[in-house]
Amino acid sequence: MSSKLRDKYLLYRIQTKRDAQAYGELYDTYVAGIYRFISFKVSSKEEAQDLTSETFLRAWHYLLESRDVASFSALLYRIARNLVIDHYRSRRATVSLDEQLEIDIDENTSPTDKGEQIKMLDINLEASAVATAMKQLKEEYRDILTLRYIEELSTAEIAEIVDKTSVHVRVLLHRATNALKALLEKNEI
Amino acid sequence: MHSKHYLKKMKFNDVTQSIRMLKGTEHAATPDTQWLSSNRSRLLTHIDRTTEEMPTRVFTLVHLWSALSLIMPQRTVYAVVRPAFIFVLCFGLGTAGWITTVSASLESLPGDALYGVKLATEHTQVAVVEAVQGKRASTELRLTFVSRRVDEVGKLVAAGTADNSAKQERVNQAVENLKSEVRGVSDNLNEVKASNPMDAVHVAQAIDRKVDVIQLSLISTNATTSSTEASAVIAQLKQESGAAATSTSSMNGGAPSSTPAAASSPNSTATSTTAATTSSTKIIAPLTRGVLETPLEQPIVPKKELIPERPTELGPDVVDVSAPISIQMRD
């Protein structure tokens, strides 16, 4: 059974029979993606976990109240995105970039392990640079880049999440990519 | 210091690849497995505690649309299937309402609210029968409607009402409808004669069979002088049908179909003022017994001159095989 058909069937069971087990199956499918999406936007793991739990709880209540759910994944990402916005409105969380960049290399490790550690350090530094640059982008650009390249959603699904047309999303994607590239080049200097 | 060095080494040709690289790092981390399972059970427990039990299952249309959404796009279900379903439902209700109205209008009389519906239904019937079965069948149907018009006249005349002027007006309207219906039959007959003479014979015979009954029915209604014209129109129709049958039969060389003039003069009886308390159908039966039993067509009897008689004397060329043969031997 294709994933979309399976999701529709589970949604049907949830909306007609209030089947909690069916909702558990949907949770298993989408929880990792939602957690990753939220963790990219918040500073701590605990906040990401709390917001992820809240996302699924709110999605459950939405399913019971509404009949028209075209895409459950789009619904989840939409709720997660709104929760993060509300989270930053209620609290003023700050991100310590210096903490993220602190990497210790153990002097007692073997040369091969040290090579691996340096390689990982390289990757982490590069990732940190990209992450830093993405956090400097405006919220809309950041969300679209995250949903497209990290969550690997289609432009149609992203359009449903951000409430825009597919054409508009493609244009925003192009602009966001260019903006990130410009920032990365600027930061390199 | 390290950070600047590695940033310089970094390639920015593929920005998208750089973004994908974030997946799995601490910036876009995967959730802890233990947290995943504990959160799942916490979530389902909360749902079980807070969600009310589903009431006794009642199938509603919402369930139907939800089920259909499994096999076709949801937009199609709500934008196409549901409107089509509503249209079919409304059409079905409208049709059922129309059928009920038509049924209720069958007993209506001129002046009633549903009489228009009755006439409209009859016109539709005639049109459909004519299209499907032809003029002959529609003419017979029209004759039935002529009988109905006569019945309506009878019912209106027999109806007791204090307002005589209103009653007379309704009777006049009924008679006008009758005349119009008879003219329609006459027009049909003329059209059939022009297009298919053979069918005209059958149509004329059908008219002959029924027009006498109709005449008697009209007589029995004891309508006032306004029905005189109606009787005249019916009599004219009878003449036309007789003429049509005669001319067509003579063209084909067959025996003409004769119609006994069993109906009495319309002028004298239409103005009769004797009270009639029984319905027209009860009066028709004894009156028409003699008429209907009389064959409308005389059997075709071959004329005697057409059958040659056996000659009493055989001619020179005829050999009488019944007589014994005498053989004379030659010497």
Side-chain angles (χ1 to χ4, degrees), chain B residues 139-153:
Chain B
T139 306
E140 295 190 16
L141 184 63
R142 277 181 176 266
L143 283 170
T144 309
F145 294 155
V146 169
S147 300
R148 277 191 197 173
R149 299 291 92 82
V150 173
D151 288 343
E152 287 165 7
V153 170

Side-chain angles (χ1 to χ4, degrees), chain A residues 139-169:
Chain A
E139 182 94 25
E140 192 178 49
Y141 285 178
R142 189 164 62 239
D143 286 347
I144 286 178
L145 288 173
T146 308
L147 291 169
R148 183 73 185 98
Y149 297 117
I150 298 180
E151 304 305 324
E152 294 178 2
L153 299 180
S154 65
T155 49
E157 287 173 313
I158 296 171
E160 198 167 338
I161 292 167
V162 299
D163 197 24
K164 294 185 191 311
T165 62
S166 294
V167 173
H168 198 178
V169 166

Side-chain angles (χ1 to χ4, degrees), chain A residues 5 16 27-28 53 126 129, chain B residues 7 10 39-40 54 70 74:
Chain A
L5 195 58
T16 56
Y27 172 89
D28 295 335
S53 300
E126 188 176 343
Chain B
L7 280 172
M10 201 161 49
N39 187 53
R40 187 184 196 278
M54 201 65 187
L70 292 175
Q74 199 168 33

Side-chain angles (χ1 to χ4, degrees), chain B residues 246-268:
Chain B
T246 306
S247 63
T248 310
S249 298
S250 64
M251 269 183 357
N252 295 333
S257 60
S258 61
T259 56
S264 49
S265 165
N267 286 330
S268 60

Side-chain angles (χ1 to χ4, degrees), chain B residues 60 63 68 110 117 126 134 152 155 180 198 215 228 232 235 313 327:
Chain B
T60 63
H63 299 145
L68 282 175
V117 176
V126 168
E152 287 165 7
K155 285 178 184 173
S180 170
M198 285 308 299
Q215 280 274 30
T228 306
E313 291 181 0
I327 302 171

Side-chain angles (χ1 to χ4, degrees), chain A residues 5 8-9 16 18 20 24 27-28 31 35-36 40 49 53 57 60 68 100 125-127 129 149-150, chain B residues 6-7 10 16 20-23 27-29 35-36 39-40 44 46-47 51-52 54 63 69-70 74:
Chain A
L5 195 58
K8 284 190 173 185
Y9 173 66
T16 56
R18 297 186 180 178
Y27 172 89
D28 295 335
V31 68
Y35 179 88
R36 191 168 46 236
F40 190 78
Q49 289 174 348
S53 300
L57 200 57
W60 168 259
D68 192 8
Q100 290 185 7
L125 283 171
E126 188 176 343
Y149 297 117
I150 298 180
Chain B
Y6 289 110
L7 280 172
M10 201 161 49
T16 58
R20 290 195 175 98
M21 188 179 54
L22 292 175
K23 195 172 181 177
H27 306 285
W35 173 82
L36 274 179
N39 187 53
R40 187 184 196 278
L44 296 185
H46 175 80
I47 286 171
T51 304
E52 291 175 4
M54 201 65 187
H63 299 145
S69 298
L70 292 175
Q74 199 168 33

Side-chain angles (χ1 to χ4, degrees), chain A residues 33-51:
Chain A
I34 296 296
Y35 179 88
R36 191 168 46 236
F37 176 73
I38 293 173
S39 70
F40 190 78
K41 296 160 85 66
V42 299
S43 55
S44 72
K45 189 170 74 173
E46 290 73 25
E47 285 176 356
Q49 289 174 348
D50 290 341
L51 289 174

